[in-house]
């Protein structure tokens, strides 16, 4: 599977370069999310700008990433979500489980806000 990873100090952006987020892609992403999480990266942005559709496996891997990031006080954010995937999430009642933003800069703002709150709380 082709993808890009853009590492930043406080977060990483993973962008699959595929039109379909299916079981095969989800298995790869699962490994990538777990690797990033265990290496200390608590904030992950999944940029779906190239993805046009997803099946249940693709959505489940997002739920896993959400749990991994939340467990360490971080954030998992979806960006570049197409209308078809938004509708799929809404029909499955899962849109509330994800933080979805329109751009990477919006995701960055949320992450830095969360990081500032963590620092103020002394975490």
């Amino acid at each position: 599977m082709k993808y890009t990873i853009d590492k930043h100090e406080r977060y990483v952006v993973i962008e699959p370069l595929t039109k379909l987020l299916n079981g095969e892609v989800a298995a790869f992403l699962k490994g990538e999310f777990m690797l990033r999480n265990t290496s200390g990266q608590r904030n992950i942005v999944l940029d779906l700008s190239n993805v046009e559709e997803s099946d249940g496996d693709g959505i489940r891997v997002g739920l896993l990433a959400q749990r991994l990031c939340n467990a360490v006080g971080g954030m998992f954010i979806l960006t570049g979500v197409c209308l078809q995937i938004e509708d799929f999430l809404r029909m499955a009642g899962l849109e509330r489980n994800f933080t979805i933003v329109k751009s990477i800069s919006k995701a960055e703002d949320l992450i830095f806000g969360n990081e500032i709150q963590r620092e103020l709380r002394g975490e």
Side-chain angles (χ1 to χ4, degrees):
M1 182 191 103
K2 292 184 179 183
Y3 64 97
T4 63
I5 294 181
D6 190 12
K7 298 176 193 174
H8 299 269
E9 184 178 337
R10 300 207 182 242
Y11 66 98
V12 63
V13 178
I14 300 173
E15 181 181 7
L17 302 175
T18 183
K19 298 212 180 286
L20 175 61
L21 189 56
N22 59 13
E24 182 181 331
V25 175
F28 175 81
L29 286 174
K30 177 181 177 182
E32 196 63 42
F33 292 150
M34 293 181 84
L35 174 68
R36 299 294 163 191
N37 186 261
T38 56
S39 67
Q41 187 61 258
R42 69 175 162 255
N43 299 304
I44 299 173
V45 178
L46 182 60
D47 184 354
L48 298 176
S49 297
N50 295 301
V51 178
E52 295 175 0
E53 62 181 293
S54 178
D55 63 10
D57 291 333
I59 301 303
R60 278 190 290 279
V61 78
L63 292 170
L64 169 71
Q66 180 72 22
R67 285 192 303 272
L68 289 171
C69 291
N70 283 344
V72 292
M75 299 184 78
F76 176 70
I77 300 175
L78 294 174
T79 188
V81 179
C82 70
L83 186 57
Q84 184 176 7
I85 294 176
E86 278 186 38
D87 290 343
F88 185 73
L89 291 171
R90 201 174 358 270
M91 287 188 320
L94 296 172
E95 75 278 2
R96 293 179 304 268
N97 294 56
F98 294 103
T99 302
I100 302 172
V101 297
K102 296 289 181 193
S103 67
I104 291 174
S105 65
K106 291 284 186 187
E108 188 177 82
D109 290 345
L110 288 175
I111 289 167
F112 283 124
N114 186 54
E115 291 294 309
I116 290 169
Q117 288 178 355
R118 286 177 51 84
E119 289 173 9
L120 291 174
R121 290 189 303 249
E123 294 179 17

